[in-house]
Amino acid sequence: MMEYLKLDAGCRTALMDGTMVPDSPGHMATRRFYHALSGSRLRLCVDGYLFAVAVFSLERDTQYQFTYAYQREENWSTYTQNLTPQSYQEGDYVFEEECYFRVCVRRKDGVDMESEDFDQALSLVEYYHKEPEHEIKSCFQEEIVETVEAIRVYAESVSDVLKLCLLADTHYTVNGTWADTAANIQEVAKEAKYDAIIHLGDFTDGMVTKEITKEYVNRIITDLERCGVPLYITLGNHDSNYFQNRQNTFTEQEIKELYRLPGESLDYYVDIQNSVRMIFLSSFEDSLPIRYGYKKEQLTWLRNVLFSASTGTKFLIFSHDAPLAELDYWSYLIRNGEALLDVLEECNAREEYQIVGFFYGHTHSDYIFNDCSFPVISISCAKLEYFTDRKPKDVVVWERRAETVTQDLWDSLLIDLKGEWLKLVRFGAGVNRECSFAKKKSTYKEKAQKKKEERLVKIWAHRGASGHAPENTMPAFKLANELGADGIELDVQLTKDGVPVVIHDETVDRVSNGTGRVCDYTLDRLRSLTVNKNFPAYGIVRIPTLEEVYAFIKTTDMTVNLELKNSMIFYEKLEEKVLVLAEKMGLSDRVIYSSFNHSSMKKIKELEPKAKVAFLYADGIVDVEEYADKYGVYAVHPYMTNTEYPNMVEKCHAKGIRVHVWTVNEEADIRRMKELGVDVVITNYVERINI
C-alpha cells in the first residue's frame, strides 16, 4: 500500500545547491530533500500550476568524506542536472530508480508566486512512497555477531558491569550513513542489554534551517530510543545550529526541548545502578570570546553534584569537548578547562569517591590521555569520514570506506566497577581499547610546566595574545599567561597628563571608538574609549595603564618586553617614568626595554646601568652584532627577515647578545626560528610554540 506524504514549504527562485531551472522565472522549490524508490510517484492535484522534479543520485562527493568540509545543505547526494524549462508538467511523475529529490513549482501563467501560493500548491502534491524496512547490510552481519559475543563474554567475566552504548559526531546528512548506524546499534542492543545509550553531541552539521535540523535530530533520537533503554545526550558545538548559520541558531530553551534535556540548564546528571552518577556537561558557547570550554557557574554546579553524592559513588563525566587544548585541534584554549580538571582531581583524591573517566568526542579520533588521575578518553566520529589532518597530536584516525564494515564506528563501553577496569568494544573501523581507572598520581600539570621550563626558544606574546584578544589590553595579557607565554611584549606612551599607558599607535583611531593622538588625551578621557574593534565579543575593553599591567605581571612568572613608542613623538621623561615604575612595582629585573629610538635606549642605560635594553629594528644593520656590542645592549630585536643575513644569530651569540625576533606567526617561520637558535620568538599566537 503506497503512503501519502505532505511536502514542506520552500525557498524562492535559486536553490542553494545551484539547481536552477533555466528561463523559468518565479519558480520555487522545496528546502527538504525527499527519498524515492523505483516506482515512487508524485502527482500535483491543483489547477493553475506546473511542477518539476530535481533528481539527486546516490553518488557521493568524496571530498566530504576525505577532507575537512561540510556540504552547505547537509546533502551527500549529487544533482543529476536533469531540470530544463521543459521539465514542468501536470501529470504523474514516476521515479525510475532510487534517488533523492526536490520539487519545483511554478504558475502556468508565468506570474511570480508568493510563498502562500507555493505552500498551497505543495499541500496538494501527492507523494506515493513506502519506505521499506531497513535491512542489515552483509558487511555488518559478522561484526554484529562478534560485538554481541565480546560484550557477553566480558559481562560474564566480571561480577559488577555497567554496559553503555557510546557514540559521537553523527553529523546527519542526506544520503549519509545514519540509517545503517541506527540499524546496527538496534541489532546489538537486542542482545547486549545496555544500561543506557550516550550520544556525545554534534547530531547534525548545524547548517540548515531550524525546521530541517529538528527533523534530523528527532530522527536520530527516535532511532536510538527504539533500543528500549534510556538515552542521554551531551551537546556539541554544532548542536545549537550555529555553524555558518547564525540566523537559525537555537535558543537555550529550544535546545533543551529539541534534545530532551532534563533540568534547568544544559548540564545535568543521572544516577544509575551500583552508585554510579553520570554527569553531562555542555562545552560550547558561541557568544563568548573563547567559545570552547566551561563557565564558572558550571564548575560551581559540578562541585555540588560531585560532593553531594553518597559515599562510594563512582562518576562518569561526558562532554563533547576535551578539558585541555592539547587534546583539541580546534581550540587554542579550553575556557576554564584546567579549573574543571582541578575540581575532578579534588574529587578523585577523596577516599569516598572515584572518577571512572572523562569521555568526549569532537576530535573525530581515538585517544586515551593518561596524565590525569583518571583516564580522559576520546571517541571517534560515527560520521563516515577519513582524513588525518586537522587532528590533535598523537591521536589515531581510522580508515573509513563506504559499503564496508569500516563505514560505521561506535563503541560499547563496558565498565568493571569492582575491578576498576573499562573496555571499549569497537563496532566498525578501529580496534577495542581498554584501560584501568584505578586512581593514580596526576602528572599533566608537572609535565606542562617542565616542558615550558625546558624550552630552548622562549615565546613572548606580541601585544599580549593579540591573535585572539584586543591587543595591548588586560584580556590579551591574561590570555597570554593562560596560554603559557614566557613573556609579553607591550607598547608604552604618555597621556597628556603624563601617565604611562599601554597602546601601540600614536593615535587611537585603529583600535578604539575614538580619534586623535594619544598624547592629546588625558588619562580619564583615554579610559573612556573602548578598544575592541577586532574582537567585539570581549565587550567593553579599556586602554590599561602600565601600572595596571605591572600589577598583573607580579602575579605571574612572565618577562616584560617594554617597547617605548618614542621614535615619532619624543615623550619627555618617558624613560625616567618607566624606570621609576618598574622599581616601585618590584619588577626591575623582569623588564627589558626596547625601542626603534636607539638614543632612548642609551638614555635608559645612562639612567640605570643595570637595565636590560634592546635595539629594535626593521631594516638591516651592517654588522649588527658589533653595533649592539658597542653600546652594551642586552639583545637585538630584528624583524624576522633580518635573520636571513648570513650567520646573524651566531655572530650575536658570540658577542653575548641575545636575539629576540618579531613578529613570527606562521608555523613554518616558528620552526625556522627554532632551527636558527634564536632566543625568543615574539608572536601573536602563543599556542603555536608547541608545534
PDB file of all heavy atoms in Angstrom, residues 10 139 210 232 333 404-405 478 509-510 542 667:
ATOM      1  N   GLY A  10       8.881  26.032   0.852  1.00  0.00           N
ATOM      2  CA  GLY A  10      10.086  26.094   0.043  1.00  0.00           C
ATOM      3  C   GLY A  10      10.841  27.387   0.137  1.00  0.00           C
ATOM      4  O   GLY A  10      10.587  28.226   0.977  1.00  0.00           O
ATOM      5  N   CYS A 139      27.908  -6.548   5.013  1.00  0.00           N
ATOM      6  CA  CYS A 139      29.236  -6.201   5.547  1.00  0.00           C
ATOM      7  C   CYS A 139      29.219  -6.019   7.056  1.00  0.00           C
ATOM      8  O   CYS A 139      30.286  -6.013   7.690  1.00  0.00           O
ATOM      9  CB  CYS A 139      29.758  -4.936   4.864  1.00  0.00           C
ATOM     10  SG  CYS A 139      28.751  -3.453   5.096  1.00  0.00           S
ATOM     11  N   LYS A 210      16.142  25.709  11.034  1.00  0.00           N
ATOM     12  CA  LYS A 210      15.760  25.084  12.299  1.00  0.00           C
ATOM     13  C   LYS A 210      14.831  23.894  12.068  1.00  0.00           C
ATOM     14  O   LYS A 210      14.973  22.844  12.698  1.00  0.00           O
ATOM     15  CB  LYS A 210      15.058  26.101  13.195  1.00  0.00           C
ATOM     16  CG  LYS A 210      15.958  27.144  13.822  1.00  0.00           C
ATOM     17  CD  LYS A 210      15.145  28.019  14.763  1.00  0.00           C
ATOM     18  CE  LYS A 210      16.029  29.034  15.482  1.00  0.00           C
ATOM     19  NZ  LYS A 210      15.257  29.844  16.443  1.00  0.00           N
ATOM     20  N   TYR A 232      20.872   9.384  26.809  1.00  0.00           N
ATOM     21  CA  TYR A 232      21.374  10.614  27.414  1.00  0.00           C
ATOM     22  C   TYR A 232      22.275  11.335  26.408  1.00  0.00           C
ATOM     23  O   TYR A 232      23.084  10.716  25.708  1.00  0.00           O
ATOM     24  CB  TYR A 232      22.147  10.304  28.694  1.00  0.00           C
ATOM     25  CG  TYR A 232      21.315   9.558  29.707  1.00  0.00           C
ATOM     26  CD1 TYR A 232      21.592   8.229  30.020  1.00  0.00           C
ATOM     27  CD2 TYR A 232      20.226  10.169  30.331  1.00  0.00           C
ATOM     28  CE1 TYR A 232      20.825   7.538  30.941  1.00  0.00           C
ATOM     29  CE2 TYR A 232      19.453   9.479  31.257  1.00  0.00           C
ATOM     30  CZ  TYR A 232      19.753   8.164  31.549  1.00  0.00           C
ATOM     31  OH  TYR A 232      18.982   7.484  32.458  1.00  0.00           O
ATOM     32  N   LEU A 333      42.615  27.355  23.468  1.00  0.00           N
ATOM     33  CA  LEU A 333      42.452  27.300  24.921  1.00  0.00           C
ATOM     34  C   LEU A 333      41.053  26.800  25.239  1.00  0.00           C
ATOM     35  O   LEU A 333      40.083  27.233  24.618  1.00  0.00           O
ATOM     36  CB  LEU A 333      42.650  28.696  25.534  1.00  0.00           C
ATOM     37  CG  LEU A 333      42.502  28.779  27.060  1.00  0.00           C
ATOM     38  CD1 LEU A 333      43.686  28.107  27.741  1.00  0.00           C
ATOM     39  CD2 LEU A 333      42.401  30.231  27.508  1.00  0.00           C
ATOM     40  N   THR A 404      31.642  -1.012   3.507  1.00  0.00           N
ATOM     41  CA  THR A 404      32.460  -1.994   4.211  1.00  0.00           C
ATOM     42  C   THR A 404      32.159  -1.846   5.692  1.00  0.00           C
ATOM     43  O   THR A 404      31.498  -0.889   6.116  1.00  0.00           O
ATOM     44  CB  THR A 404      33.969  -1.775   3.978  1.00  0.00           C
ATOM     45  OG1 THR A 404      34.396  -0.621   4.714  1.00  0.00           O
ATOM     46  CG2 THR A 404      34.273  -1.582   2.493  1.00  0.00           C
ATOM     47  N   VAL A 405      32.697  -2.752   6.507  1.00  0.00           N
ATOM     48  CA  VAL A 405      32.450  -2.661   7.941  1.00  0.00           C
ATOM     49  C   VAL A 405      33.011  -1.364   8.513  1.00  0.00           C
ATOM     50  O   VAL A 405      32.499  -0.841   9.518  1.00  0.00           O
ATOM     51  CB  VAL A 405      33.031  -3.901   8.662  1.00  0.00           C
ATOM     52  CG1 VAL A 405      34.555  -3.863   8.662  1.00  0.00           C
ATOM     53  CG2 VAL A 405      32.495  -4.004  10.087  1.00  0.00           C
ATOM     54  N   LYS A 478      46.296  38.584  30.049  1.00  0.00           N
ATOM     55  CA  LYS A 478      45.863  37.453  30.872  1.00  0.00           C
ATOM     56  C   LYS A 478      45.770  36.173  30.045  1.00  0.00           C
ATOM     57  O   LYS A 478      46.143  35.087  30.511  1.00  0.00           O
ATOM     58  CB  LYS A 478      44.524  37.775  31.537  1.00  0.00           C
ATOM     59  CG  LYS A 478      44.637  38.854  32.615  1.00  0.00           C
ATOM     60  CD  LYS A 478      43.276  39.214  33.199  1.00  0.00           C
ATOM     61  CE  LYS A 478      43.423  40.290  34.285  1.00  0.00           C
ATOM     62  NZ  LYS A 478      42.117  40.699  34.856  1.00  0.00           N
ATOM     63  N   ASP A 509      42.858  55.795  16.663  1.00  0.00           N
ATOM     64  CA  ASP A 509      41.853  55.525  15.633  1.00  0.00           C
ATOM     65  C   ASP A 509      41.707  54.045  15.275  1.00  0.00           C
ATOM     66  O   ASP A 509      40.588  53.534  15.143  1.00  0.00           O
ATOM     67  CB  ASP A 509      42.181  56.312  14.360  1.00  0.00           C
ATOM     68  CG  ASP A 509      42.235  57.812  14.582  1.00  0.00           C
ATOM     69  OD1 ASP A 509      42.957  58.248  15.505  1.00  0.00           O
ATOM     70  OD2 ASP A 509      41.565  58.557  13.849  1.00  0.00           O
ATOM     71  N   ARG A 510      42.827  53.334  15.087  1.00  0.00           N
ATOM     72  CA  ARG A 510      42.770  51.966  14.573  1.00  0.00           C
ATOM     73  C   ARG A 510      42.115  50.990  15.546  1.00  0.00           C
ATOM     74  O   ARG A 510      41.413  50.065  15.123  1.00  0.00           O
ATOM     75  CB  ARG A 510      44.183  51.469  14.239  1.00  0.00           C
ATOM     76  CG  ARG A 510      44.229  50.042  13.692  1.00  0.00           C
ATOM     77  CD  ARG A 510      45.637  49.633  13.283  1.00  0.00           C
ATOM     78  NE  ARG A 510      46.554  49.691  14.410  1.00  0.00           N
ATOM     79  CZ  ARG A 510      46.745  48.683  15.268  1.00  0.00           C
ATOM     80  NH1 ARG A 510      46.058  47.554  15.143  1.00  0.00           N
ATOM     81  NH2 ARG A 510      47.606  48.795  16.258  1.00  0.00           N
ATOM     82  N   ARG A 542      39.161  48.531  28.047  1.00  0.00           N
ATOM     83  CA  ARG A 542      39.813  49.837  28.211  1.00  0.00           C
ATOM     84  C   ARG A 542      41.312  49.761  27.907  1.00  0.00           C
ATOM     85  O   ARG A 542      41.931  48.709  28.010  1.00  0.00           O
ATOM     86  CB  ARG A 542      39.633  50.349  29.646  1.00  0.00           C
ATOM     87  CG  ARG A 542      38.197  50.431  30.125  1.00  0.00           C
ATOM     88  CD  ARG A 542      37.365  51.360  29.284  1.00  0.00           C
ATOM     89  NE  ARG A 542      36.030  51.530  29.838  1.00  0.00           N
ATOM     90  CZ  ARG A 542      35.005  52.057  29.186  1.00  0.00           C
ATOM     91  NH1 ARG A 542      35.175  52.479  27.941  1.00  0.00           N
ATOM     92  NH2 ARG A 542      33.827  52.172  29.758  1.00  0.00           N
ATOM     93  N   GLU A 667      53.494  28.898  11.313  1.00  0.00           N
ATOM     94  CA  GLU A 667      54.128  27.730  11.914  1.00  0.00           C
ATOM     95  C   GLU A 667      55.480  27.414  11.264  1.00  0.00           C
ATOM     96  O   GLU A 667      56.442  27.060  11.953  1.00  0.00           O
ATOM     97  CB  GLU A 667      53.189  26.520  11.819  1.00  0.00           C
ATOM     98  CG  GLU A 667      51.937  26.672  12.684  1.00  0.00           C
ATOM     99  CD  GLU A 667      51.040  25.457  12.655  1.00  0.00           C
ATOM    100  OE1 GLU A 667      51.401  24.478  11.962  1.00  0.00           O
ATOM    101  OE2 GLU A 667      49.996  25.469  13.322  1.00  0.00           O
TER     102      GLU A 667
END
